Amino acid sequence: MSEDCIFCRIVAGEIPSRTVYEDDTVFAFLDANPLAPGHTLVIPKAHHERLNDLPADLAHDVLDRLYQLVPQVERAVDADGTTVAFNNGPAAGQEVQHVHGHIVPRFENDGGGPIHAIAGQQPDLDDNELDEIAERIAQSE
Ligand code: 5GP
Ligand code: ZN
């Protein structure tokens, strides 16, 4: 546990939360500042800052639970869909440095945008650059 981490303190019960799921490794609760009714956060109980820092077994636990919770959340608030995302690192807008997946219920004509709306300016990449990037990703395993 990290003493100065708000999500660790929620897991420890020091800060109250509206818990929707808990097991040995995973915790899920309603976002305190919801973007939509049912906005849910899914976290590992252990403190890890980014997805990249998560041990594989914990990553599986978190993603499995995210998968289970998506239809539960949709049913609970009668949503038409969900946006599911991790703000992974401060550059991506992560404000709480304890890895968490967002499940944001979406409704027809809710005025929100697609995940593409996160891009500031879209890059203009030619075929060679795209080939090179794909190659670098494939090789950096
Ligand atoms: P981030 O921007 O780091 O991806 O998202 C952090 C989320 O945590 C925000 O949506 C914010 O509303 C939520 N949050 C921050 N502090 C608390 C808290 O004390 N309790 C709950 N339930 N959610 C919180
Ligand atoms: Zn933490």
Side-chain angles (χ1 to χ4, degrees):
M1 164 168 181
S2 167
E3 289 298 336
D4 55 1
C5 171
I6 205 156
F7 287 177
C8 282
R9 296 184 64 203
I10 285 175
V11 169
E14 294 173 13
I15 295 174
S17 69
R18 291 188 171 83
T19 309
V20 301
Y21 180 81
E22 178 173 13
D23 64 23
D24 287 347
T25 59
V26 178
F27 198 83
F29 55 105
L30 293 188
D31 195 296
N33 186 21
L35 297 174
H39 183 170
T40 297
L41 301 173
V42 187
I43 68 173
K45 283 187 166 177
H47 183 81
H48 297 282
E49 292 196 359
R50 293 178 53 169
L51 263 183
N52 318 37
D53 306 320
L54 264 187
D57 58 337
L58 279 187
H60 296 158
D61 291 350
V62 169
L63 293 173
D64 277 355
R65 189 47 51 186
L66 198 69
Y67 169 76
Q68 304 281 343
L69 281 167
V70 162
Q72 285 180 238
V73 169
E74 288 188 4
R75 273 197 301 274
V77 298
D78 202 19
D80 300 312
T82 35
T83 295
V84 179
F86 290 76
N87 290 325
N88 195 34
Q94 185 178 354
E95 289 184 353
V96 177
Q97 305 312 314
H98 180 135
V99 63
H100 52 279
H102 290 260
I103 302 173
V104 183
R106 299 299 303 269
F107 303 88
E108 299 291 349
N109 304 315
D110 63 12
I115 207 153
H116 293 71
I118 60 171
Q121 213 178 5
Q122 274 190 259
D124 187 16
L125 298 166
D126 64 30
D127 282 346
N128 286 340
E129 289 169 313
L130 291 168
D131 288 346
E132 206 183 298
I133 291 167
E135 181 70 12
R136 254 188 274 146
I137 293 171
Q139 296 303 325
S140 75
E141 198 183 338

